[in-house]
């Protein structure tokens, strides 16, 4: 071979040749190392990938002591209360109302029928904008429960800082938002007009 034929004992490699080989070998070894991903990324002309930290889970919804839930009506309001999808106005109303009365919620969304009973109109419950209360101050809602009657008037007048579009109860107060029918003799129903205003879980 030409290279071997031209070599002689007196031949010396060019200065720095061995050092260049050592540098190349060192760089290749570094790039092959498992921890060299960032180095390879920079040499390839891009920054190393950055993984964003996971956000902490939202805290559970704060529930006033005077506000309780029941599954007796076939709904699961306790779980719905903890959801950020629940309309902000429903949450505000229940917090303010429970500062004045002891309230038991029987339905928010889960377990309620999709349509208003006897119609093809989508219920406000299905859209996270409705709430049913079956007890006020420890007594079932009925025409004889004066605390429930006062609460229905208070809610319909927007005293809770939010104005509902429907307040069903055992009493015939007259004009909207109040209404009464056979399906609302044993609970208070409150609904809000759309669009839904989901709120943070606090």
């Amino acid at each position: 071979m030409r290279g071997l034929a031209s070599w002689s004992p007196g031949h010396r490699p060019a200065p720095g040749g061995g050092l260049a080989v050592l540098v190349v070998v060192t760089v290749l070894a570094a790039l092959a190392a498992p921890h060299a991903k960032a180095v390879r990324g920079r040499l390839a002309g891009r920054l190393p990938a950055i993984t964003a930290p996971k956000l902490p889970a939202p805290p559970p919804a704060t529930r006033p002591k005077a506000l309780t839930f029941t599954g007796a009506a076939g709904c699961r309001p306790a779980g719905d209360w903890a959801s950020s999808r629940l309309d902000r106005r429903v949450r505000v109303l229940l917090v303010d109302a429970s500062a004045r009365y002891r309230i038991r919620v029987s339905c928010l969304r889960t377990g309620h029928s999709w349509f208003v009973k006897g119609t093809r109109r989508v219920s406000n419950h299905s859209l996270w904008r409705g709430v049913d209360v079956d007890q006020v101050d420890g007594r079932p809602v009925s025409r004889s429960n004066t605390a429930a009657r006062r609460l229905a008037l208070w809610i319909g007048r927007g005293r809770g800082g939010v104005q509902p579009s429907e307040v069903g109860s055992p009493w015939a107060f007259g004009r909207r938002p109040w209404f009464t029918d056979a399906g609302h003799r044993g609970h208070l129903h409150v609904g809000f007009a759309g669009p839904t205003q989901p709120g943070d879980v606090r």
Side-chain angles (χ1 to χ4, degrees), residues 4 7 37 44 59 71 86 88 102 108 110 122-123 141 178 189 198 201:
L4 292 175
W7 183 85
K37 185 175 181 180
L86 182 64
R88 177 190 61 82
R102 286 181 290 119
L108 285 169
T110 306
V122 176
S123 169
V141 173
W178 296 285
H189 163 80
V201 177

Side-chain angles (χ1 to χ4, degrees), residues 1 28 32 50 68 70-72 75 78 80 82-84 94 96-97 113 116 140 155 169 182 202:
M1 295 175 60
L28 291 175
I50 299 176
T68 58
T70 180
C75 297
D80 291 342
S83 173
S84 61
L94 290 176
D96 284 0
S113 59
V116 175
I155 291 172
S169 76
R202 292 171 294 177

Side-chain angles (χ1 to χ4, degrees), residues 68-109:
T68 58
F69 305 100
T70 180
C75 297
R76 296 190 291 277
D80 291 342
W81 173 256
S83 173
S84 61
R85 298 179 67 185
L86 182 64
D87 194 290
R88 177 190 61 82
R89 295 166 295 182
V90 173
R91 197 181 301 279
V92 168
L93 173 65
L94 290 176
V95 169
D96 284 0
S98 61
R100 295 163 173 78
Y101 302 92
R102 286 181 290 119
I103 295 172
R104 190 173 82 169
V105 173
S106 57
C107 201
L108 285 169
R109 180 183 184 273

